[in-house]
Every structure is written in C-alpha cells, then in structure tokens.
Amino acid sequence: MAPSGLAILLGAGPATGAGIARILAHPSHGNLAVALLARNPDNLTSLAASLRASAGPDSVIETFPTDTQPSNLSAAFSAIRSHPSFQGLNLRVGIFSVKHASKKPFLEETHEEFTRSLHDYVGGAFAFAQEFLRLLFEQHGDTSLAEGGSKKGTLIFTGTLGAMRTNARFAAYGAGRSSVRMLAQSLAKEYSAQGVHVVHTIANGAIKDEDGEAQRKGETMSAEAVGKTYLWLSGQGPELWTHELDLRPAQEKF
C-alpha cells in the first residue's frame, strides 16, 4: 500500500524517535513515508534498517543526516523535496524531538555554554519550524480555514516538564525548554487559522522503545505509545485541536 503522506522527524534516536517513526511508517498505523533527521549518519542508517525490518517491506523510511544549524536543516529539507521516495507525497506531520539536557552550578556555567545551548536547541526548533512551514505552504497553499481551506498538517514539539518548571543547576535546560514551549504557543496562535495544527507535548518520565514489564506496570512510557499519541494528534480536525498535552506513565509522580 502506497504511503498516504510524508512525516519529517528531527531527533531520530534509538528510543523515542524509533517508536514514533515505526508507528508513523507502519502500513497498519500511520502509513506515512518518514524522513529521519539526526546528527550521526551511521546511527541513522542503522536505525532506518531496523525500522524497515519492523515496519514491514512496504514502509518508506529515508535518512538525512543533519544537526540543528539553519543552513544544514535547509539543505536537509531541499534533499527531502527532491528525494524520489517522496515524490507525489504531501507533507502531513513534522516532529521536533531533539534531546536537550544541561545541568551545572550556575556560577560554573559560562555565558558561552549558556547561549550555545539556547542557540542549538531553541534556534534549532525555530529553524525546523520555518522549514516545515515553508514546505507545508508550498505544497498545500495558504488558503485559510475561513476561506474554505482545509487542515494542512501538524507540527509537534516534544517537550518535558522542564518547559513548565525547573530546578537548581538547570538554568540552561529550563530556559531552553520553556522557550520552545513559547515558540510553539506563538506558532499556534499565528497559524491555526491557516490550517496548521501546532502541538507542544510535555513528556514527564522515561521513554523506552520497549513493551515489557516496566510499561505494563506504568513505570516507563513506551515509545510506540508516544507514536500512537502523535498519530492521533495529527488526525484531529479543525473542530477540535489539542495544543498542549501532558504525557506520563501511570506511576510517575506529579
């Protein structure tokens, strides 16, 4: 069965990213062609091979090594536009799921370290969102919902509890996570009426690409469960859009 559209995932790692991509690509779930973006080419190649084996022979999964620098993301999106596997497929889903972790006593953290963290993470979310929106409007046009247009696609930012509150020694982490949350909120307010569904999720707890005892007990989240949730979000119509969603395993304290 041919894919029904295209999903682009930045932050395609072996845990959360793998589970999300598998659900999006699997013909019995999302049935989407998936472009995997991450920094390490070797890891990407290995991940794609594993996903193709588990998602089935009809799945379409391609890799595009890149970091979050604007010029590199622009080149990756150009390669996606021209890739033969994606010809005739319209963009439907974009997911920014980049790892961001920083813990250091405040007086030991340099200005360069703090601002580099913001540049790479928040700047990366900004650059990814711009590239996603440009491609989305290029393919779907810019007719608003009020003018008779339809939903064009869904942009999801995977956040954490650090976007809501932070702790001692997490200055850069909290600043970065909360900034991306505000970016998502701004984009939702600007583009919802044009048919773009923007979501910020708050993943509170560990996510593993497993389906075992820890998941059955509600101790850790399953990456595929995150993928199913993202697929559900992408299927929401303009009559009801979720903007922010808290994700946690049953036993996670809050």
Side-chain angles (χ1 to χ4, degrees), residues 76-241:
F77 269 77
S78 293
I80 289 169
R81 279 180 172 87
S82 61
H83 198 285
S85 294
F86 303 147
Q87 297 310 298
L89 297 177
N90 283 335
L91 180 59
R92 283 185 50 196
V93 184
I95 300 169
F96 180 84
S97 192
V98 174
K99 184 178 180 180
H100 179 237
S102 176
K103 181 181 181 181
K104 201 168 192 178
F106 181 70
L107 291 178
E108 293 180 14
E109 189 159 33
T110 67
H111 182 271
E112 180 183 1
E113 290 171 333
F114 183 84
T115 55
R116 185 172 64 245
S117 171
L118 296 179
H119 177 271
D120 292 346
Y121 183 68
V122 184
F126 170 90
F128 179 78
Q130 280 199 335
E131 294 294 340
F132 172 84
L133 289 168
R134 287 182 181 127
L135 180 54
L136 197 70
F137 288 129
E138 177 185 310
Q139 293 183 338
H140 296 270
D142 58 2
T143 305
S144 70
L145 295 173
E147 295 169 326
S150 59
K151 178 178 180 177
K152 296 171 178 62
T154 303
L155 174 60
I156 302 174
F157 297 89
T158 302
T160 66
L161 193 60
M164 308 291 289
R165 61 177 184 268
T166 193
N167 287 312
R169 302 187 178 191
F170 285 94
Y173 176 76
R177 289 290 186 177
S178 59
S179 294
V180 171
R181 180 178 182 238
M182 290 296 99
L183 172 65
Q185 189 175 117
S186 176
L187 294 177
K189 291 182 177 183
E190 184 171 356
Y191 290 105
S192 286
Q194 290 179 260
V196 183
H197 181 195
V198 182
V199 183
H200 178 262
T201 65
I202 302 165
N204 185 16
I207 303 173
K208 295 185 178 181
D209 191 22
E210 299 174 357
D211 183 21
E213 193 68 13
Q215 286 71 43
R216 285 189 288 275
K217 290 182 176 180
E219 296 172 347
T220 61
M221 286 181 273
S222 155
E224 286 197 359
V226 176
K228 290 175 182 177
T229 300
Y230 283 10
L231 182 61
W232 168 73
L233 287 166
S234 73
Q236 290 184 339
E239 70 279 3
L240 189 155
W241 279 356

Side-chain angles (χ1 to χ4, degrees), residues 56-81:
D58 293 331
S59 61
V60 178
I61 301 168
E62 304 294 348
T63 62
F64 302 85
T66 183
D67 55 19
T68 58
Q69 299 307 305
S71 59
N72 295 333
L73 279 172
S74 178
F77 269 77
S78 293
I80 289 169
R81 279 180 172 87

